[in-house]
Amino acid sequence: QAQLVESGGGSVQSGGSLKLSCVVSGFGNNVCMGWFRQAPGKEREGVASIDGDGTTRYTDAVKARFTISRDHAKSTVLLQMNNLVPEDTAMYYCAAQTGYYYCGASWSSLNRYNTWGQGTQVTVSS
C-alpha cells in the first residue's frame, strides 16, 4: 500500500530554517513527487516538485529559499526551507504521482497526485 509520512514541521522565527521529510513506502522513490501547502482559509498550492531524474520546479514565492531533494537510500523526499517568512505558515503536504516519472508543466495541479501524506504544520512568527 502506497504511503507517505511527513515530519519536520515546527515553529520558527522569521529568517529561520526547517527541513521537512517525507518517507515513501509501498512504491519506488523514483516517481514524480511534490510538496504542497495550505494556509488557513486558502487553497492548497504547489510549493516544489522533483522528477524521477532529479529535475526540480518551484513556485516563485519560494525560489532561492527552498530546496527539494531525494535521499534514495532512505526512501525520503526532503524540503529544505531557509529564510522563512510568516507567509510560509501553513500545513505542508507531501504527494506522489505513482507510476509517473516526470511531473511536467502541470506539477502543481493537485488532481495529478494520487497519494498524499497527512501533513506537517509549519508556523513562522515575525
Side-chain angles (χ1 to χ4, degrees), residues 12-18 65 80-85 88 124:
V12 297
Q13 290 190 327
S14 185
S17 298
L18 284 172
R65 298 190 299 122
Q80 177 67 48
M81 305 186 296
N82 298 327
N83 194 21
L84 286 161
V85 296
D88 295 319
V124 184

Side-chain angles (χ1 to χ4, degrees), residues 74-97:
K74 297 181 180 180
S75 295
T76 300
V77 177
L78 305 168
L79 185 68
Q80 177 67 48
M81 305 186 296
N82 298 327
N83 194 21
L84 286 161
V85 296
E87 291 74 23
D88 295 319
T89 295
M91 185 71 78
Y92 282 71
Y93 298 90
C94 175
Q97 294 187 27

Side-chain angles (χ1 to χ4, degrees), residues 104-126:
S106 300
W107 69 270
S108 61
S109 297
L110 276 68
N111 59 10
R112 296 183 65 89
Y113 293 81
N114 57 11
T115 303
W116 291 83
Q118 82 289 349
T120 185
Q121 178 68 37
V122 171
T123 302
V124 184
S125 58
S126 57

Side-chain angles (χ1 to χ4, degrees), residues 20-41:
L20 305 185
S21 296
C22 173
V23 177
V24 173
S25 61
F27 62 96
N29 186 23
N30 61 346
V31 300
C32 165
M33 298 288 297
W35 281 99
F36 292 77
R37 67 186 180 186
Q38 187 167 18

Side-chain angles (χ1 to χ4, degrees), residues 45-58:
E45 63 174 356
V47 174
S49 71
I50 185 166
D51 292 352
D53 64 359
T55 300
T56 58
R57 299 172 182 85
Y58 300 90

